Amino acid sequence: MSKRIVVALGGNAILTDDPSADAQQKTLLNTAKNLVKFVENGDQLIIAHGNGPQVGNLLLQQAASNSKKNPAMPLNTCVAMTQGGIGYWIQKAMDEVMAAKGINKKSVALVTQIKVNANDPAFKRPTKTVGPFMSKAEADKDKKAHPDYVIVEDAGRGYRRAVPSPKPEKILEANAVEDLADKGMIPISVGGGGVAVAQKGDSLQGEDAVIDKDYASAELAKETHADALITLTAVKNVYVNYGKPNQKALKHVTVPEMEEYIKQHQFPEGSMLPKVQAAIDYVNATGNEAVITALGNIEGYLKDHSGTIITKD
């Protein structure tokens, strides 16, 4: 039976150790070869993706060339720029793979705006990490050059810049995404969490923030009436006691079980926790399942329902 599926791509599906455009497009070509398995299965696919490394790198480029004649663009515009750029790469890769397989479908990338609350406490507490990882010495140098930056340690992997990350309230282009899916196209939207906009007076204005792509993807799945939310990351399963002798892969788990694991601080804040929380939010709102698994396990999920499957009860 055909399903409408929102697939949220993690950074490993886009960026490897080589941040060049050519390398990222080659990575996305392999990603597309995996994603097309949903299309071959008869599913209606909607794609979402992150942009943390890319928008951080773009901000560095903007800062390095900033001048009166060539002023740096604000963060909200950089989010839109990377959303468009990565969306173009995914669109190109998906269309190339589908054409090679004789699949008569097209994908389309949308620059997506997401409404947030201008008074969200997140604006006063930057937590979303962007850009490349830095050593302590590099982080200290960056902070000295940019005193207004907030730089934090990111899950023991190094230091990165942190920016505000408000919660998404409404996807302004959700109807357009749904219309495209209904017409048999593959929409690519809420890239990088979407461009954060807030109501100010009579108009919506861009906010300098990066919405977490996991929360944005869950909101997208709710608003487009998806049958499942699938978050693709670096591991086949979510683990408890990760890295310890008694680590355990979670396979079929309920929302109450996952909430108990959250209370036990089983999931790192900078990596797995938002994926789990977004999955719980989607399941509670819809009653449908959410899945967290690896890009390379798509075939396993479709065949054996493997991965971490989260259900309401």
Side-chain angles (χ1 to χ4, degrees):
M1 181 179 174
S2 175
K3 291 182 178 180
R4 173 174 289 176
I5 295 173
V6 168
V7 172
L9 298 177
N12 62 301
I14 305 169
L15 183 65
T16 59
D17 292 336
D18 182 351
S20 69
D22 283 346
Q24 292 184 74
Q25 289 181 81
K26 286 178 182 176
T27 301
L28 280 169
L29 190 60
N30 180 64
T31 296
K33 290 175 182 176
N34 282 285
L35 291 180
V36 80
K37 293 171 185 175
F38 288 115
V39 181
E40 291 175 312
N41 192 56
D43 294 318
Q44 199 177 63
L45 186 62
I46 298 173
I47 302 172
H49 62 85
N51 76 339
Q54 293 85 359
V55 75
N57 288 343
L58 180 57
L59 288 168
L60 291 175
Q61 293 167 7
Q62 292 285 315
S65 62
N66 186 35
S67 68
K68 189 173 182 179
K69 289 186 176 181
N70 185 29
M73 294 294 104
L75 176 55
N76 62 79
T77 301
C78 288
V79 170
M81 291 164 71
T82 52
Q83 183 180 176
I86 298 170
Y88 153 67
W89 289 342
I90 296 174
Q91 176 179 306
K92 184 172 178 289
M94 287 295 297
D95 287 354
E96 183 176 329
V97 171
M98 288 190 294
K101 289 179 171 286
I103 298 172
N104 186 27
K105 278 185 176 289
K106 296 289 287 183
S107 56
V108 59
L110 300 175
V111 174
T112 320
Q113 302 172 94
I114 298 186
K115 188 176 180 182
V116 301
N117 187 335
N119 297 315
D120 191 312
F123 285 109
K124 295 182 179 179
R125 182 175 172 264
T127 57
K128 178 65 177 174
T129 50
V130 298
F133 288 98
M134 298 178 285
S135 66
K136 183 67 166 64
E138 289 171 329
D140 290 342
K141 183 178 179 181
D142 201 34
K143 180 68 175 176
K144 187 175 181 180
H146 306 281
D148 58 322
Y149 283 10
V150 175
I151 298 176
V152 299
E153 187 178 12
D154 186 354
R157 296 173 292 180
Y159 293 82
R160 298 173 82 188
R161 182 181 172 187
V163 298
S165 185
K167 289 293 178 67
E169 292 187 341
K170 182 176 176 56
I171 298 169
L172 301 188
E173 289 78 19
N175 288 343
V177 173
E178 196 161 21
D179 286 346
L180 288 166
D182 286 340
K183 287 179 171 61
M185 302 189 76
I186 300 173
I188 303 160
S189 65
V190 302
V195 181
V197 296
Q199 191 75 41
K200 294 185 177 178
D202 295 330
S203 65
L204 288 167
Q205 296 183 18
E207 293 284 351
D208 283 342
V210 174
I211 300 169
D212 189 283
K213 77 99 174 46
D214 295 310
Y215 295 124
S217 300
E219 185 63 28
L220 177 69
K222 287 186 287 183
E223 293 191 32
T224 58
H225 308 97
D227 298 300
L229 168 66
I230 301 179
T231 300
L232 299 177
T233 184
V235 291
K236 180 179 176 181
N237 294 88
V238 180
Y239 286 84
V240 292
N241 302 316
Y242 185 72
K244 299 178 181 178
N246 63 336
Q247 76 172 18
K248 181 179 76 170
L250 301 179
K251 297 181 179 179
H252 288 73
V253 289
T254 65
V255 166
E257 288 173 322
M258 292 304 269
E259 289 174 337
E260 180 58 35
Y261 289 136
I262 290 173
K263 290 177 184 176
Q264 296 172 12
H265 303 287
Q266 288 283 355
F267 312 123
E269 282 194 28
S271 55
M272 192 56 73
L273 182 60
K275 295 173 177 57
V276 170
Q277 290 176 323
I280 288 173
D281 180 50
Y282 169 74
V283 173
N284 280 337
T286 66
N288 298 331
E289 72 177 26
V291 183
I292 301 175
T293 194
L295 176 68
N297 187 51
I298 289 175
E299 190 169 344
Y301 165 73
L302 291 172
K303 183 179 179 181
D304 302 318
H305 221 51
S306 61
T308 295
I309 316 296
I310 303 169
T311 56
K312 200 160 189 177
D313 46 38

